[in-house]
Amino acid sequence: MFLSPKSKINILILALAVGVSVIIPAPQALANHADISAIELVELTNAERALSNVPTLTVNETLVRSAEAKAQDLLERDYFNHDTPDGKTPWTFFTDAGYSYTWAGENLAIDFVTADPIQRAWMASPTHAANILNPHYREIGIAVVEGDFNGKHTAVVVQHFGAQNVQGVQVKSEKISLIERLRVYFASLRVRADRM
């Protein structure tokens, strides 16, 4: 989907489909280098989940690869949508990466320079927040890829959520390390401070 810079002004686009959401922020000065940390986005996501008494997510490298493949595809083919220009759904990226799922979701963001505004925008959007707080998801993978999009340097963020399809095996929640608990705690404090 092509958006001219003029059409991005004060536009917030939401795909109102189950499990998929897209955000394009109001314009801001995008530096030549975005300072978006995938780890920070995972921590912010888990902080939101902890505040809502939803189990935190574990980073899954296969989901990271599926998110990276989707982000590269968005930039290489100059589209910003869940479905590819040739009609492939987001779930194709999950299965192509080797992730067999019972639950899957995708959030997208573009033209941000740091993690906090992305998380705030996602939480302000009902469809994004539904993905972030979905209790069925157990794992997460996030990719932040910079490149040219329609002739403009930008950063694309792809957030993939999932619960693996494990036949005959009960998925056990992993113990959260003390460091991870502290990260979630401090991220939740930051989220609460931002809401004040």
Side-chain angles (χ1 to χ4, degrees):
M1 138 172 144
F2 175 78
L3 291 175
S4 69
K6 205 173 209 181
S7 67
K8 287 185 182 179
I9 295 176
N10 296 322
I11 293 178
L12 178 66
I13 295 179
L14 302 174
L16 299 176
V18 174
V20 292
S21 303
V22 178
I23 280 193
I24 299 175
Q28 56 184 323
L30 182 67
N32 285 335
H33 179 72
D35 186 24
I36 302 169
S37 164
I39 293 170
E40 185 177 2
L41 282 169
V42 170
E43 291 170 354
L44 291 169
T45 296
N46 277 335
E48 291 289 352
R49 291 174 69 88
L51 286 172
S52 297
N53 294 318
V54 179
T56 57
L57 302 170
T58 303
V59 174
N60 177 286
E61 290 304 317
T62 305
L63 286 178
V64 171
R65 285 193 306 275
S66 70
E68 287 171 347
K70 175 64 177 269
Q72 287 293 343
D73 196 59
L74 291 169
L75 290 172
E76 288 171 8
R77 302 202 300 166
D78 277 337
Y79 72 98
F80 190 72
N81 200 334
H82 294 287
D83 293 344
T84 66
D86 53 347
K88 292 181 184 173
T89 67
W91 325 128
T92 303
F93 291 92
F94 287 73
T95 56
D96 286 353
Y99 192 84
S100 178
Y101 59 88
T102 54
W103 292 90
E106 175 180 83
N107 283 346
L108 303 176
I110 191 169
D111 290 344
F112 287 89
V113 293
T114 60
D116 284 329
I118 296 170
Q119 189 70 23
R120 283 194 303 271
W122 280 341
M123 291 309 295
S125 157
T127 54
H128 289 86
N131 269 341
I132 289 168
L133 301 176
N134 187 321
H136 297 289
Y137 300 147
R138 296 289 179 252
E139 299 172 313
I140 189 170
I142 297 178
V144 179
V145 179
E146 289 187 57
D148 289 333
F149 182 78
N150 292 325
K152 178 183 154 215
H153 186 81
T154 193
V156 172
V157 180
V158 177
Q159 188 178 45
H160 279 174
F161 302 94
Q164 289 191 57
N165 182 11
V166 182
Q167 299 282 335
V169 177
Q170 183 177 357
V171 177
K172 296 179 182 178
S173 60
E174 295 183 25
K175 292 181 181 178
I176 300 174
S177 71
L178 176 59
I179 292 172
E180 187 174 342
R181 283 189 213 156
L182 288 172
R183 283 183 181 160
V184 169
Y185 173 73
F186 287 117
S188 69
L189 289 177
R190 187 173 51 197
V191 168
R192 288 179 184 159
D194 288 343
R195 290 181 179 168
M196 294 178 147

